Amino acid sequence: MPDVKMKSMVDTGELADKAVAERAGIGWIGKNTLLITKEFGSYVYLGEMITNIPFPPDQPVEDLCGSCNLCVEKCPSGALVQGRQLNAQKCMAFLTQKKDAVPEPYRDKLGNRVYGCDTCQVVCPYNRGIDFHLHPEMEPDPELVKPKLIDLLAMTNREFKEKFGSMAGAWRGKKPIQRNAIIALGNYKESAAAAPLIACLTDDPRPVIRGAAAWALGKIAASNGGASSSEKIGKALEEALAVEEDENVRREIQKALKKIETAGLAEG
Ligand code: SF4
Ligand code: SF4
């Protein structure tokens, strides 16, 4: 067919993947804003091929969310403002990928997420019991999807590329991943991470990383009361403050010191 024209695209093409898939009758867009299919739930990859071959159109699928509202209720940050409406600025999937600092109100909510968020998919009843292990080449490597957080902190660009370069989450580079790992260590209140976090605070050239390290150290020290590790962290923060020139990092250090002081007063 010499006159046939075709163009294929995935993710970054001219079409809005989910809207086109909904119109093509592949599924409906749920309250979690994801395309949900009856057969595979929302665990699908979307791609399009535009052609001038005349196909009969498929019928759109009925919206089957009904009275369910689980995704809206379980979203950790209230990013699903209401069904089918997402405030991306509040969404953990977006926040884990941004390159600057994560706003303070969302750091606790990030929990141990190093990249992305799946909560609104995991809770969806249409994803329950679905076998999505259909392509061995797409099976995640557990070591890569759940890496040791402390090991991420001192990773070089080369190590990052070698280890994670082939993963979707690597497209933003290593800084957001390292910042998220630091926040996760703070959320775990992991005192074994104090030394590597102090190294980030004092040696890392990137203000976002130093600021996140100050926040995490404050959180760890405040949770350990008057333990000697907390004293060590407090001293490191004070020393860092004496030489820090970046205003945002200085603010993070001051807030961390205040947090430790308040926790100490509460203990006393
Ligand atoms: S990805 Fe996470 S934060 Fe974003 S809307 Fe879904 S549950 Fe909420
Ligand atoms: S969790 Fe419930 S409301 Fe949300 S997308 Fe799934 S079916 Fe729809």
Side-chain angles (χ1 to χ4, degrees):
M1 294 173 77
D3 297 333
V4 167
K5 289 186 188 150
M6 279 188 279
K7 183 170 181 190
S8 304
M9 59 194 76
V10 176
D11 216 13
T12 54
E14 288 84 350
L15 300 178
D17 300 332
K18 289 187 293 183
V20 169
E22 185 179 43
R23 278 174 55 192
I26 292 171
W28 77 97
I29 294 185
K31 290 179 188 168
N32 58 7
T33 74
L34 301 170
L35 184 93
I36 304 176
T37 68
K38 283 185 185 166
E39 198 177 359
F40 300 111
S42 59
Y43 294 134
V44 289
Y45 294 102
L46 298 176
E48 300 91 35
M49 183 184 283
I50 305 178
T51 175
N52 59 352
I53 302 174
F55 286 112
D58 289 319
Q59 291 307 307
V61 169
E62 184 192 353
D63 180 335
L64 294 177
C65 281
S67 60
C68 177
N69 203 35
L70 265 179
C71 52
V72 177
E73 288 157 18
K74 299 288 182 189
C75 171
S77 56
L80 290 167
V81 187
Q82 58 180 37
R84 294 178 66 133
Q85 208 180 91
L86 174 78
N87 180 343
Q89 300 293 323
K90 288 180 158 190
C91 176
M92 298 291 152
F94 167 79
L95 290 170
T96 58
Q97 294 178 59
K98 75 200 286 286
K99 292 204 170 185
D100 51 359
V102 173
E104 202 167 355
Y106 298 105
R107 293 179 197 164
D108 285 350
K109 294 180 202 303
L110 267 184
N112 64 355
R113 292 175 179 83
V114 172
Y115 182 81
C117 171
D118 268 342
T119 301
C120 56
Q121 292 205 86
V122 171
V123 300
C124 179
Y126 288 100
N127 285 334
R128 255 178 238 148
I130 298 278
D131 177 12
F132 51 89
H133 302 281
L134 305 174
H135 302 282
E137 66 278 20
M138 288 189 172
E139 285 299 311
D141 177 340
E143 290 237 348
L144 296 183
V145 288
K146 287 206 184 291
K148 287 202 179 108
L149 296 173
I150 292 179
D151 292 351
L152 293 174
L153 304 190
M155 210 171 27
T156 63
N157 285 339
R158 193 180 170 165
E159 286 164 346
F160 179 76
K161 262 195 193 138
E162 277 172 12
K163 204 164 178 189
F164 301 104
S166 62
M167 295 176 75
W171 79 285
R172 295 288 278 168
K174 75 173 176 157
K175 187 169 78 175
I177 304 270
Q178 288 178 316
R179 178 208 54 208
N180 299 339
I182 291 170
I183 293 175
L185 288 165
N187 283 332
Y188 276 129
K189 303 181 179 77
E190 177 61 74
S191 52
L197 287 172
I198 290 171
C200 288
L201 175 69
T202 53
D203 301 341
D204 201 290
R206 299 161 299 177
V208 167
I209 296 296
R210 298 200 300 279
W215 178 84
L217 284 164
K219 196 139 171 140
I220 292 167
S223 71
N224 285 341
S228 63
S229 61
S230 298
E231 280 179 37
K232 204 170 148 193
I233 290 173
K235 196 161 171 278
L237 284 164
E238 275 164 12
E239 284 171 8
L241 185 61
V243 293
E244 180 62 60
E245 290 180 355
D246 184 284
E247 265 317 304
N248 290 329
V249 182
R250 288 183 63 80
R251 263 196 297 279
E252 293 290 351
I253 297 174
Q254 284 158 345
K255 278 194 271 183
L257 284 165
K258 184 87 195 150
K259 201 186 287 172
I260 298 169
E261 189 191 321
T262 310
L265 288 177
E267 289 271 316

